[in-house]
Every structure is written in structure tokens, then in C-alpha cells.
Amino acid sequence: QIPPGSLFLAYGACTVPLWTPSFLSACARGQATPEMAFADAMVAHPHSAFANLNSKADLVQIRYYNLFAAIYGLPLIGADGMAKALSLILGKLSAEHPNYVSYLTDGGQHCFLNRECYETTDTRGETGRLLPPVETCPASGQASHVDCPVSGTDCSGAQCCPRTPGLVGERTFPCPSAPATFNGCEYHTKVTDCTVQPTSLVSWVNGFPVRPGDSVATECYGPVLAASEIQGSDFCLAGSAGKV
């Protein structure tokens, strides 16, 4: 692993007049990380929503990481390593801060908001909205019988998935095929939703700033996996799934 404080020291960022005393101390010791700076800001502003937008296999971030890995004689990473490292960092922020959500899209695109792909991106990638629609499930009938994420428990429509370690604080949550109006579980937001199309980036960004009474959810496309089950780059980390 690249020494955590190396980037701040290399760029002289410890002198920037933005940091808290605890961060400045860590920075001077060469132990500061970007997620520490983010965490400080979220604690200081608990009523503001914070978010990350990333590709799971961001090619620019992979190259940048590998540049420093080569300097320090460490193993290089590819798409799978990037997806795992990124998901674990965002999952930790999600677990520790109630005012944090994230949007992960498949692929290697680096920038979105100032690119044409902003209009075409959904969680399947930068051209996701140009792809054929995904097959959805109904909220009733035989086709509504689906598996709960992670546990694999069968459910149908207006039912709850069981409490599952690593998911939404081990509370029951709506079946993926539950109707949008169903709120009979301990946690009211779905972890996965097979009744709708993948969330577009435009619609997600339009949810900010989050106004009183509104909410924005973490978005990702792929099977929900526990940290111990991560493989490849086509997955969503259980620790982040369903977060609002």
C-alpha cells in the first residue's frame, strides 16, 4: 500500500488553511489521507449531504495510483483492484457518516459533469442510457419472486428481506420487487430494486443540494457482495448498498 500521507507531503498540501488541528497533526506526521479530510468536513457539517461520484475502474486514477506504486516498489493494480479499493474506502465513509452517499458507475470514465457523457451515464456506464432497458420485475405474481441480496432468501412483492450482517445496520428491508409505497420493514429503502431502470447520473445529481424532507440514495449496478466475497469489478459493496 502506498504510504497514506505521501501525496499531501509531495504537494505541500499540509499548509493549506482548510484542515482541522487533528488533520494538520496527521499531515505533518505523513499519515493524512483524502478520506480523513472528507470525514472531517462531514463531521463539521452534519446537516449537509456529501457524496462521491466515481467509475469503478477509473482509468486515470488507476494510472495515477500505479505511478506512485512504481515509485515505492509496490504491486500495480488493474480494474479489479481499483474497484475493490474504491468500494472499501467509500463503504467505510458510508458506514461512519450518516450524511454521506455515493454513485458508482461501471467503466473507466474519469470526468462526468463537464463531459457529454453526463447526459448518457447511468450506473451501467457512460453510455448506459443508450443501452437497451434492463428487464424489470413486477411487484406481484409469479415473476415477483426474487432473491434477497446477500442472503439469497426468497421474497415476493410487499415482503421484507431478513436481517443480514453488513446490510443497512442488520435491519429488515424491502424485497427487491416490493412496490415503491411499501414501508413495512425496519429499514424503508430497498438495497436493490428490480422494478426500475438503473438510476441515471443526471437524475441523481439533480437531487443535490438535498432539501429538508428529501433524500438521495447510494447508487450502484451489479450483485451486492460482502467485502469477503469481492471479486472482479462488477459488484456493489454490501456496506454501501441501500444507504440514504
Side-chain angles (χ1 to χ4, degrees):
Q1 182 179 354
I2 295 174
S6 56
L7 289 181
F8 286 98
L9 292 174
Y11 288 108
C14 293
T15 60
V16 174
L18 293 174
W19 314 127
T20 62
S22 62
F23 185 90
L24 282 172
S25 177
C27 202
R29 297 194 307 272
Q31 299 174 345
T33 64
E35 52 266 39
M36 286 170 60
F38 212 33
D40 274 356
M42 288 187 279
V43 170
H45 303 279
H47 301 297
S48 296
F50 289 77
N52 276 111
L53 158 62
N54 282 90
S55 291
K56 294 176 184 175
D58 185 321
L59 293 174
V60 173
Q61 291 188 7
I62 289 172
R63 291 170 187 155
Y64 198 66
Y65 178 93
N66 286 339
L67 172 65
F68 278 84
I71 292 173
Y72 287 98
L74 298 170
L76 306 184
I77 64 170
D80 293 356
M82 174 66 188
K84 179 177 181 178
L86 176 64
S87 295
L88 291 175
I89 289 172
L90 301 191
K92 185 174 187 294
L93 290 174
S94 182
E96 295 178 352
H97 301 281
N99 53 335
Y100 175 82
V101 292
S102 61
Y103 186 104
L104 284 182
T105 178
D106 292 348
Q109 179 68 23
H110 182 57
C111 295
F112 292 91
L113 302 185
N114 61 344
R115 299 288 192 273
E116 291 184 1
C117 64
Y118 174 61
E119 301 288 342
T120 60
T121 298
D122 68 19
T123 47
R124 294 175 293 175
E126 62 185 281
T127 59
R129 297 184 71 188
L130 305 179
L131 298 174
V134 300
E135 183 178 353
T136 58
C137 62
S140 61
Q142 184 62 33
S144 69
H145 288 268
V146 295
D147 291 339
C148 291
V150 181
S151 70
T153 303
D154 178 77
C155 66
S156 176
Q159 295 180 345
C160 297
C161 288
R163 299 184 182 98
T164 305
L167 278 180
V168 297
E170 295 192 34
R171 290 170 285 182
T172 61
F173 56 92
C175 176
S177 62
T181 55
F182 178 63
N183 63 357
C185 306
E186 294 169 336
Y187 190 77
H188 298 318
T189 302
K190 293 185 183 182
V191 170
T192 59
D193 191 345
C194 63
T195 68
V196 298
Q197 294 296 315
T199 301
S200 72
L201 178 56
V202 170
S203 66
W204 188 78
V205 170
N206 284 343
F208 296 92
V210 180
R211 297 169 177 81
D214 293 339
S215 63
V216 176
T218 285
E219 299 290 350
C220 180
Y221 186 78
V224 177
L225 300 178
S228 61
E229 301 173 325
I230 290 177
Q231 57 182 339
S233 60
D234 180 25
F235 68 88
C236 298
L237 183 67
S240 297
K243 175 70 179 296
V244 293

